[in-house]
């Protein structure tokens, strides 16, 4: 019935000199744009009947020049009224299902995606030959191709030769870091010499890189001295000014005196810090309040800082040691304040006392978790604490093996593997995270998948850690990280079978965010 109504309404509109618009901003014969991304990938509430601003007219992301409504041209204006009257008539006549009313002021019908193989982010087995229906930036239906009736003449994105997945989620990124290449001045130069605008410009490139690789959501784990720059980048993405994933930001992060770079300068010189420094529960709570007030979605806390191998790596006691930072009381003040705002606390913690304080103080997620004891794993399961392991970043830039730093680098990686395997076996909740930014943004984010599989996850578990599990961490279960009715239409696709070779996820060929196609190198349109 619904299909028939769509067909009828389609014909009525065509009679009126218009055409329905499917997908991301096509143009009808009158020059009237029904639905157009305001700039690059504006969210659904930015779709409107207004013309986009001048700067976008000849620079659309898909290279398609769009005609726009010109109010000074009477013929077009008349046709506009015909179309609007038709819409009004269709609703009176009961064709309400044709037009999506969830977005005020828009006329929108469905986009259809044919998926050869669908990994939906939740189910443990893929499904073949599915059709995904998208309306107003959300998935409205997923069904077997045999049962799905796609109206004749509508645009369909054909990914029947590809594997379709939910948009990927990286739950630990640093859009304001650029790999800290020592040859380019390392970490310190970014805080000492680069204007914030320069860093923001590079962050703009970082978020675009993430989206190009199919990561439609990031939890960004602090700006490393760039203040509230992440809030600004998020605003620019949401406003449609720049392309990028949806961001969950943590702003400045919190540590204690002696607990974060810049360091190693003469004590007489005051240098900037990569985080907000607090000492005592009062300052801790105040810092959390400030950051939440200025737009933090998460609060990031460093529970450990320096790490080294005891006894120069010799003998039984040669374990990895981490310097603890906040006390349990300081952390509790932050957690209490943040939970009061309905937000959550992510804790960078490597091992030992600092990691234990993180668990005792009520952290919602342990970042890295290089050394997890059996008791700590049991406590994480009891408390529902997430682990965001970020494995890959501990395999780059190792110092020479015969140096203390080299021993530390190798110890971190070897301990991490043991902890990851134990946590996985015990059933700790694990979310995909990379620490990219610590890794240069020129490298593939998806390099974390094969590492997770190497250390015991099935490819499906690794994919779910970057889809439905990460969405759960973000309290977006059912809305992100899943291809199912009601979820945001964040959809990606790869050629081949990532369950057979998880490395294929490094080559995402199709990216849709909020129902808007950002990249399509593998799917044909008809
Ligand atoms: Zn990090």
């Amino acid at each position: 019935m619904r299909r028939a109504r769509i067909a009828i309404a389609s014909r009525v509109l065509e009679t009126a000199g218009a055409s329905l618009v499917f997908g991301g901003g096509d143009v009808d014969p009158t020059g009237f744009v029904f639905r157009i991304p305001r700039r690059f990938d504006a969210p659904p509430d930015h779709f409107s009947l207004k013309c986009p601003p001048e700067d976008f007219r000849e620079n659309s992301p898909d290279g398609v020049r769009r005609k726009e409504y010109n109010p000074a041209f009477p013929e077009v204006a008349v046709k506009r009224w015909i179309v609007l009257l038709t819409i009004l008539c269709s609703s009176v006549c009961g064709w309400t299902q044709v037009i999506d009313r969830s977005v005020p002021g828009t006329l929108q019908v469905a986009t259809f995606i044919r998926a050869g193989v669908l990994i939906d982010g939740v189910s443990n087995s893929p499904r073949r030959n599915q059709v995904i229906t998208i309306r107003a930036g959300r998935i409205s239906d997923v069904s077997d191709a045999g049962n799905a009736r796609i109206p004749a003449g509508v645009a369909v994105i054909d990914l029947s030769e590809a594997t379709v997945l939910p948009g990927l989620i990286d739950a630990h990124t640093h859009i304001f870091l650029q790999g800290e290449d020592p040859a380019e001045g390392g970490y310190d130069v970014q805080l000492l010499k680069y204007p914030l605008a320069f860093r923001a410009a590079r962050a703009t490139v970082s978020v675009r890189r993430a989206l190009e690789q199919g990561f439609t959501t990031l939890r960004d784990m602090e700006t490393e001295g760039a203040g509230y720059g992440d809030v600004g980048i998020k605003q620019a993405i949401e406003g449609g000014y720049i392309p990028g994933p949806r961001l969950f930001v943590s702003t400045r992060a919190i540590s204690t005196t002696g607990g974060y770079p810049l360091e190693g300068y003469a004590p007489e010189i005051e240098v900037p810090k990569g985080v907000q420094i607090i000492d005592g529960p009062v300052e801790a709570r105040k810092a959390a309040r400030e950051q939440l007030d200025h737009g933090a979605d998460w609060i990031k806390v460093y529970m450990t800082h320096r790490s080294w191998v005891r006894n120069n790596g010799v003998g039984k006691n040669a374990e990895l040691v981490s310097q603890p930072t906040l006390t349990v009381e300081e952390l509790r003040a932050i957690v209490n304040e943040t939970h009061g705002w309905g937000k959550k606390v992510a804790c960078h913690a490597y091992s030992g006392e600092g990691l234990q304080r993180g668990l005792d103080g009520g952290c919602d997620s342990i970042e890295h978790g290089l050394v997890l004891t059996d008791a700590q794993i049991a406590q994480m399961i009891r408390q529902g604490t997430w682990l965001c392991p970020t494995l890959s970043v501990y395999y780059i830039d190792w110092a020479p093996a015969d140096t203390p730093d080299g021993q530390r680098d190798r110890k971190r990686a070897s301990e991490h593997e043991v902890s990851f395997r134990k946590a996985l076996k015990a059933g700790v909740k694990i979310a995909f995270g990379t620490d990219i930014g610590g890794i240069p943004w020129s490298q593939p984010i998806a390099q974390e998948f094969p590492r997770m599989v190497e250390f015991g996850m099935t490819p499906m578990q690794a994919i779910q850690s970057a889809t439905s599990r990460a969405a759960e961490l973000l309290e977006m279960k059912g809305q992100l990280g899943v291809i199912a009715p009601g979820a945001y239409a964040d959809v990606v696709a790869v050629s081949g079978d990532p369950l057979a070779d998880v490395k294929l996820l490094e080559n995402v060929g199709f990216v849709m965010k909020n129902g808007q196609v950002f990249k399509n190198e593998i799917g044909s349109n008809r």
Side-chain angles (χ1 to χ4, degrees), residues 22-23 111-117 128-134 145 150 154-164 491-496 509-512 517 519-526:
F22 302 88
T111 301
F112 297 90
I113 296 177
R114 283 190 183 280
V117 177
R128 297 199 163 271
N129 298 322
Q130 301 289 299
V131 170
I132 304 162
T133 311
I134 292 153
I150 302 174
V154 303
V156 177
I157 298 165
D158 187 358
L159 294 167
S160 54
E161 300 296 315
T163 303
V164 174
V491 182
V492 303
V494 293
S495 296
F510 172 85
V511 180
M512 168 185 276
V517 177
K519 168 181 173 180
N520 188 1
E521 294 171 352
I522 54 174
S524 59
N525 290 296
R526 75 153 174 81

Side-chain angles (χ1 to χ4, degrees), residues 172-174 177 221-222 224 300 302 348 367-368 390 435:
H172 191 127
T173 65
H174 296 281
L177 275 185
M221 289 274 83
E222 81 125 323
E224 309 286 354
K300 166 84 178 287
Y302 285 87
H348 166 113
E367 307 300 308
H368 318 302
T390 72
D435 223 351

